[in-house]
Amino acid sequence: TQATQWMIGAAEIAAMKPGAILINASRGTVVEIEPLAEALKARKLLGAAIDVFPVEPRSNKDEFQSPLRGLDNVILT
């Protein structure tokens, strides 16, 4: 919904304690992915587990694209 869309962005991530872990298993548009990726790369956050994404592949044949791919401190399901 619009009430939860992009609820967690750069400001909210910056307010988290250093070393926090963010888990999103709710809706793909709740967390802004770019600020999350930046915080993870900078090690502001210890890690993240993400089960939903703003844009998901249409099928298993389509490649999943995300700035979170390849980060060693992220679990993507």
Side-chain angles (χ1 to χ4, degrees), residues 25-77:
S26 60
R27 297 278 186 251
T29 58
V30 170
V31 177
E32 291 185 43
I33 298 299
E34 290 294 335
L36 174 60
E38 291 171 17
L40 290 162
K41 290 175 187 174
R43 302 293 183 183
K44 158 80 171 118
L45 298 182
L46 180 64
I50 308 296
D51 186 49
V52 290
F53 307 93
V55 178
E56 300 204 11
R58 292 184 180 264
S59 74
N60 288 337
K61 295 179 183 179
D62 295 334
E63 184 177 356
F64 174 68
Q65 299 289 328
S66 172
L68 300 174
R69 281 190 66 189
L71 298 180
D72 65 356
N73 53 350
V74 177
I75 297 171
L76 304 173
T77 61

